[in-house]
Amino acid sequence: MEWMVWTTPTAIFFSVIAAMLVGMTAWEIASPTIERRGFLPLATTRGDRLFIGLLSAAYIHLLVVGFTPLSIWIALGVSILWILVLLRWG
């Protein structure tokens, strides 16, 4: 990865996202999903909820960095918790 001049945290971040996508693909092949309604106002699949979770995690991080003096680790913890709740009950 040296040719891209990535820092270690950046490489870890994108590696985790890639691993999540591979894991979701394997899960979809092993157990095809059906649309369902949870607390979100629309019917969603697992992939939809993952995408919504990742997008909202980005906004959580932007809000923490932009408007609070809190640590980015708090934003990470909140984001992980939010994605887990969204995947389970969303």
Side-chain angles (χ1 to χ4, degrees), residues 9-81:
T10 304
I12 291 170
F13 173 79
F14 284 107
S15 298
V16 168
I17 297 293
M20 288 172 63
L21 292 174
V22 168
M24 289 294 285
T25 301
W27 190 8
E28 183 66 27
I29 291 169
S31 171
T33 187
I34 57 169
E35 285 190 354
R36 68 173 175 84
R37 289 186 63 105
F39 62 82
L40 293 173
L42 64 153
T44 58
T45 63
R46 283 188 295 252
D48 296 334
R49 291 188 297 275
L50 177 66
F51 177 74
I52 293 168
L54 290 173
L55 190 61
S56 57
Y59 283 113
I60 290 169
H61 279 78
L62 287 173
L63 289 171
V64 167
V65 168
F67 298 109
T68 70
L70 298 174
S71 169
I72 196 73
W73 294 107
I74 293 172
L76 178 64
V78 170
S79 295
I80 290 171
L81 182 64

